């Protein structure tokens, strides 16, 4: 059985369940669609098949986005963040990304109340945002 390339696997920092967060983004509009979880096998399948595969924490099984809904995610690119604990999966989303039928899971979840902060001039020039 094929395994994830060891050069890729060695860069991942997994949580206690062996998972890495996978942020899914529409490749052309940069719209953030959803967050899923991947282990090494889900990432291997995603990198090698052209379709996004996740690990379902609730069902304890792999699931390929769109197999039952038809709302397929075609992989365009996958990047790893600087710490190795998150992936950015750029896709061409067909239909809704959220299981609720909404375009994005964040549209379905909705905004939270937040107090907006202001960046001071010194933060802009020094990058120091204490």
């Amino acid at each position: 059985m094929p395994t994830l390339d060891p050069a890729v696997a060695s860069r991942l920092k997994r949580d206690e369940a062996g998972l890495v967060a996978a942020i899914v983004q529409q490749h052309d509009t940069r719209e953030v669609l959803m967050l899923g979880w991947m282990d090494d096998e889900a990432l291997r399948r995603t990198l090698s098949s052209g379709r996004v595969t996740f690990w379902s924490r609730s069902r304890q099984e792999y699931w390929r986005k769109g197999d039952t809904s038809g709302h397929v995610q075609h992989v365009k690119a996958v990047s790893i963040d600087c710490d190795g604990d998150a992936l950015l999966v750029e896709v061409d989303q067909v239909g809704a990304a959220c299981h609720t039928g909404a375009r994005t899971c964040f549209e379905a979840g909705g905004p939270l109340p937040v107090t907006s902060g202001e960046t001071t001039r010194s933060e802009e020039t020094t990058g120091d945002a204490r």
Side-chain angles (χ1 to χ4, degrees), residues 5 19 21 23 25 32-33 39 43 48 55 82 88 97 99 106 113-114 122:
D5 179 339
L19 302 174
I23 302 159
Q25 181 181 52
V32 177
L33 302 172
D39 64 4
L43 179 56
S48 64
W55 174 254
C82 60
L88 177 63
H99 71 279
F106 298 98
V114 63
S122 65

Side-chain angles (χ1 to χ4, degrees), residues 8-130:
V8 173
S10 69
R11 296 179 63 194
L12 297 174
K13 287 187 186 167
R14 301 157 193 83
D15 68 9
E16 57 280 348
L19 302 174
V20 175
I23 302 159
V24 181
Q25 181 181 52
Q26 176 64 34
H27 76 99
D28 51 357
T29 65
R30 309 315 247 173
E31 178 181 34
V32 177
L33 302 172
M34 61 176 288
L35 171 77
W37 296 93
M38 293 185 180
D39 64 4
D40 287 18
E41 177 60 15
L43 179 56
R44 184 197 68 76
R45 292 180 188 190
T46 298
L47 293 172
S48 64
S49 72
R51 296 265 311 273
V52 181
T53 298
F54 297 103
W55 174 254
S56 171
R57 297 178 302 167
S58 59
R59 295 189 309 264
Q60 294 290 295
E61 64 184 15
Y62 295 103
W63 60 281
R64 192 167 68 165
K65 187 69 173 172
D67 279 354
T68 57
S69 67
H71 299 165
V72 177
Q73 294 175 337
H74 297 284
V75 178
K76 296 296 185 180
V78 179
S79 303
I80 188 169
D81 80 339
C82 60
D83 295 324
D85 60 1
L87 300 166
L88 177 63
V89 184
E90 297 176 60
V91 303
D92 187 16
Q93 176 71 48
V94 176
C98 186
H99 71 279
T100 65
R103 171 75 180 159
T104 80
C105 292
F106 298 98
E107 175 187 326
L112 298 175
V114 63
T115 300
S116 180
E118 292 183 11
T119 304
T120 67
R121 183 73 180 141
S122 65
E123 289 173 352
E124 290 173 2
T125 58
T126 66
D128 185 13
R130 288 183 223 173

